[in-house]
Amino acid sequence: MENNFTEQMAQDRAMVEDCLAKAFAGEPRHADLQEAMEYSLLAGGKRIRPVLTLETCRMCGGDPETALPFACAMEMVHTYSLIHDDLPAMDNDDLRRGRPTNHVVYGEATAVLAGDALLTAAFGQLTKAQLPADRIVKAVECLSRAAGSVGMVGGQALDMAGEGRALNREELELLQSLKTGALISAAAELGCIAAGGTDGQRAKVRTYAQALGRAFQVRDDMLDIISDQTELGKPVGSDQANEKSTFVTALGLESCAALVNQLTSQGIEALNGFEAPEFHIWLAQTLAKRTK
């Protein structure tokens, strides 16, 4: 069964990669802006968020292909956030997905503009979905909220403000629920919206994705300690270097491992009532054990 899910994920990724590769084809090229955008957008990665959009659409009774523009919009927002997160003014990282970060290759100014352009393009991408207008409006509201000051950007602001001081567990959970969890939750909700899912389905999907996002971040904090740069594809130990509080510094590795398992179970439990939640269960369990 696991092989079937792995194959399904590979098919979803291929759909997303093809869509992203065509996203800016035929558009005017201004200096090295589009090249910088595509450098990060097409750099691979796990593509968890767009896959989650497609598979949640399927789980809620929709056709995943109709959700593809939503999935690609999600990945554009995620990529923009990584470009900006790596900047010298933020985390000052020089490696992402196994190769030099955007600002290292193109310079800080172009990297900022590439991120800005990807964020803007994401909302244009949402409008390309062949779906009823009310679903597109809901998608715009969902993604804009998750990406903005009450979502990911707000979390990044808390992250920067927290450098150099110890954050308690409550502060960390708020920070990460915004910085990481908001977009993962939105990814799942966009799939439900694309399928025309009910409010009840969307609430369950949100609960699942929020638990998934929290578990993902706790595991990420663990990997910053126990993994290595070659496997992870980005610098390890950067949280400590930037004097950032993490779940590991607050709880320790052993408690973090237990928390990942607890959150994974909570997320899976939220899927009760769906006819075919097997992929989402497999995804949660796989991410809980990931090594990169």
Side-chain angles (χ1 to χ4, degrees):
M1 183 64 74
E2 181 172 346
N3 288 338
N4 291 340
F5 292 140
T6 302
E7 182 179 343
Q8 184 61 55
M9 191 162 188
Q11 291 174 1
D12 289 341
R13 281 175 172 163
M15 287 173 59
V16 170
E17 297 293 351
D18 183 61
C19 181
L20 293 175
K22 297 173 180 175
F24 305 111
E27 290 189 358
R29 315 289 284 191
H30 300 300
D32 54 1
L33 175 62
Q34 282 76 13
E35 182 181 321
M37 293 162 66
E38 292 171 340
Y39 175 82
S40 294
L41 185 65
L42 306 181
K46 294 178 282 290
R47 305 300 197 200
I48 291 167
R49 292 157 188 82
V51 167
L52 190 55
T53 300
L54 298 179
E55 289 301 326
T56 302
C57 180
R58 189 194 308 275
M59 184 175 69
C60 293
D63 178 357
E65 289 197 23
T66 65
L68 188 56
F70 288 6
C72 290
M74 172 56 61
E75 192 63 14
M76 288 177 184
V77 171
H78 177 55
T79 301
Y80 123 77
S81 75
L82 298 181
I83 294 173
H84 283 196
D85 197 46
D86 290 335
L87 288 168
M90 299 290 182
D91 285 355
N92 195 24
D93 283 329
D94 57 9
L95 195 68
R96 172 71 67 177
R97 291 172 175 169
R99 61 180 186 168
T101 48
N102 200 288
H103 70 271
V104 170
V105 177
Y106 295 98
E108 290 182 47
T110 297
V112 170
L113 293 173
D116 293 345
L118 284 168
L119 172 61
T120 307
F123 291 93
Q125 191 70 23
L126 290 176
T127 68
K128 295 180 181 180
Q130 299 299 305
L131 291 167
D134 65 313
R135 297 185 195 178
I136 294 176
V137 170
K138 286 181 181 179
V140 170
E141 188 278 331
C142 176
L143 185 55
S144 62
R145 182 175 180 83
S149 60
V150 297
M152 182 190 66
V153 174
Q156 180 69 3
L158 291 176
D159 193 19
M160 300 302 295
E163 288 187 3
R165 68 183 184 89
L167 303 181
N168 60 38
R169 178 172 174 174
E170 185 178 62
E171 290 174 310
L172 279 170
E173 287 181 347
L174 174 61
L175 187 163
Q176 298 300 351
S177 70
L178 300 179
K179 183 178 177 180
T180 303
L183 279 190
I184 291 179
S185 179
E189 289 186 63
L190 286 175
C192 186
I193 290 168
T198 65
D199 290 343
Q201 286 180 319
R202 187 172 173 184
K204 287 185 176 184
V205 160
R206 183 186 302 116
T207 299
Y208 163 81
Q210 287 174 345
L212 189 75
R214 288 178 63 196
F216 186 91
Q217 186 57 53
V218 176
R219 184 64 181 169
D220 212 49
D221 287 352
M222 294 172 65
L223 292 176
D224 194 62
I225 300 295
I226 64 176
S227 189
D228 61 73
Q229 182 168 299
T230 301
E231 185 166 23
L232 204 56
K234 60 181 180 180
V236 295
S238 60
D239 290 330
Q240 184 176 1
N242 290 326
E243 298 184 300
K244 287 188 175 182
S245 296
T246 69
F247 284 101
V248 174
T249 60
L251 304 176
L253 279 171
E254 187 174 338
S255 293
C256 280
L259 181 57
V260 168
N261 291 334
Q262 177 187 346
L263 291 167
T264 300
S265 296
Q266 289 175 0
I268 290 171
E269 186 178 345
L271 298 174
N272 288 339
F274 285 103
E275 290 187 8
E278 290 83 6
F279 179 91
H280 287 67
I281 293 171
W282 169 82
L283 180 63
Q285 293 172 337
T286 299
L287 292 178
K289 298 178 290 186
R290 69 189 175 94
T291 57
K292 59 182 179 179

